[in-house]
Amino acid sequence: MDLYLIRHGIAAEPEEYDTDSERPLTKEGNRKTRKIAQRLYELEIQFDLILTSPLLRAQQTAQILQTADLSSKIEESGALAPSGEIGNWLEWYKQWQEIGSRSLALVGHQPDLGHWAETLLWARSQDALILKKAGIIGLILPETGSPVGRSQMFWLTAPKFLLH
């Protein structure tokens, strides 16, 4: 199972909005995220599902990925909101894994996505993996059992390597 952890694109500054959840992508964030989505399409990457944080900037990022024909399905998950619990996502994943899907994208926030990747790789968070805005971490999760501490990284990409 291929898992892609994707950080939302460049967002408006927090002081411009009443709540963090209202912050949209900036024009530059929208443009760069569209280019990255197009590059993923050119690389023939497809997701059975895009699971996104409920925050606006993450939802906009997920919609850009869907518009680029990377997936036909988007679902929202509170587990992907800032400070969301990986344990909640793991419960969801256990159920979702049973349908036999092969590729999943999670659109969320830093430092959470970095921590989640570390947990899946090493069974503990070390604050070592930094995911840039619109950056991607690719993990291979085991076919059976818990993925915690049993996953393999195949991709860690800053957005600049996908922009052309």
Side-chain angles (χ1 to χ4, degrees):
M1 185 11 227
D2 293 340
L3 177 67
Y4 294 84
L5 305 171
I6 303 171
R7 186 175 177 190
H8 64 78
I10 300 167
E13 294 299 321
E15 55 273 4
E16 297 175 26
Y17 291 85
D18 291 336
T19 67
D20 186 48
S21 63
E22 297 174 2
R23 292 172 46 213
L25 295 180
T26 63
K27 283 184 181 176
E28 180 186 11
N30 193 303
R31 181 185 61 79
K32 284 185 173 181
T33 303
R34 287 186 189 284
K35 283 187 165 191
I36 289 166
Q38 179 59 41
R39 185 69 183 121
L40 293 176
Y41 180 80
E42 290 166 5
L43 292 169
E44 299 182 359
I45 292 172
Q46 287 285 299
F47 310 121
D48 296 317
L49 174 66
I50 299 169
L51 197 63
T52 183
S53 157
L55 277 62
L56 180 59
R57 59 193 179 273
Q59 289 183 344
Q60 289 174 325
T61 299
Q63 289 165 357
I64 289 168
L65 297 172
Q66 184 181 39
T67 301
D69 290 330
L70 298 176
S71 181
S72 61
K73 294 186 233 166
I74 296 178
E75 290 181 18
E76 189 178 296
S77 172
L80 288 165
S83 300
E85 290 293 322
I86 192 171
N88 294 336
W89 176 77
L90 286 167
E91 285 299 315
W92 174 90
Y93 175 71
K94 193 186 313 182
Q95 303 290 322
W96 189 76
Q97 188 179 25
E98 291 174 9
I99 65 172
S101 295
R102 303 302 310 151
S103 183
L104 174 65
L106 304 182
V107 179
H109 310 273
Q110 184 64 21
D112 302 308
L113 291 177
H115 291 167
W116 285 28
E118 292 171 344
T119 299
L120 294 169
L121 290 166
W122 305 305
R124 62 187 167 90
S125 178
Q126 309 177 145
D127 287 324
L129 292 177
I130 307 298
L131 194 54
K132 301 283 188 186
K133 290 182 177 85
I136 302 168
I137 296 174
L139 301 176
I140 298 171
L141 276 54
E143 289 185 27
T144 60
S146 172
V148 173
R150 298 180 56 233
S151 301
Q152 297 176 322
M153 186 179 341
F154 67 88
W155 205 10
L156 175 57
T157 308
K160 68 181 177 182
F161 296 112
L162 295 172
L163 296 171
H164 58 326

